[in-house]
Amino acid sequence: MTLIFSESFETDGNGSRYFTSLPEFSDGGTDFFLRTDGSNISASYQVTDADGSFLFAAQDIDGEGAPSMQTLLFSGIDIAGFINLTFSALLAEEDATDGEEDWDDTDFLLVEYQIDGGGFQPVLAIAEIDDGDSFN
């Protein structure tokens, strides 16, 4: 198997290897959308088994006045000559200490791809809606 693309976030690639829909931010606590090693976000946010020291994390992204929908984009990945491609990602969801998980009823994660300027197509969708509860 040939690896076509990999991103571990070990070095800052915003603006070159990946692009965010707004500047990365953190309030130093529980509102953030950024590449982090955990030193600039709440110590209560813990991720285990990450691929290296850094990762891209998001939590309460509209808590600091940013829009509730954000984008992390990878572009320019050359797949010419390849067939039967496989998508693989290492994703994590924090376990809340109170067991509530704290996904708002409108929260979701959507991974999409676009080839040669065609329309975006979904690869993976995570939506934590639980019968209209305020939190899931």
Side-chain angles (χ1 to χ4, degrees):
M1 181 185 310
T2 301
L3 179 64
I4 298 172
F5 175 79
S6 178
E7 176 60 61
S8 67
F9 300 105
E10 286 304 294
T11 60
D12 184 3
N14 197 346
S16 58
R17 294 189 316 271
Y18 59 88
F19 303 87
T20 56
S21 53
L22 79 159
E24 295 178 37
F25 69 87
S26 174
D27 66 357
T30 58
D31 302 340
F32 48 85
F33 177 77
L34 76 165
R35 172 191 165 267
T36 183
D37 63 356
S39 64
N40 52 355
I41 61 176
S42 172
S44 67
Y45 187 87
Q46 298 289 316
V47 175
T48 58
D49 299 326
D51 178 27
S53 300
F54 284 81
L55 56 113
F56 202 93
Q59 181 172 290
D60 199 12
I61 58 176
D62 61 351
E64 295 298 309
S68 61
M69 186 167 163
Q70 298 306 324
T71 304
L72 175 63
L73 175 71
F74 300 94
S75 66
I77 302 168
D78 186 1
I79 60 170
F82 291 95
I83 59 171
N84 299 324
L85 298 174
T86 300
F87 172 79
S88 176
L90 182 60
L91 304 171
E93 191 269 338
E94 181 191 28
D95 284 332
T97 56
D98 62 5
E100 294 295 319
E101 302 313 325
D102 300 328
W103 283 67
D104 295 340
D105 60 356
T106 57
D107 288 351
F108 65 94
L109 170 69
L110 180 60
V111 178
E112 298 177 309
Y113 70 91
Q114 179 186 40
I115 298 177
D116 296 335
F120 279 94
Q121 301 295 318
V123 174
L124 172 69
I126 301 172
E128 298 280 271
I129 304 299
D130 185 25
D131 297 326
D133 290 346
S134 299
F135 299 98
N136 299 293

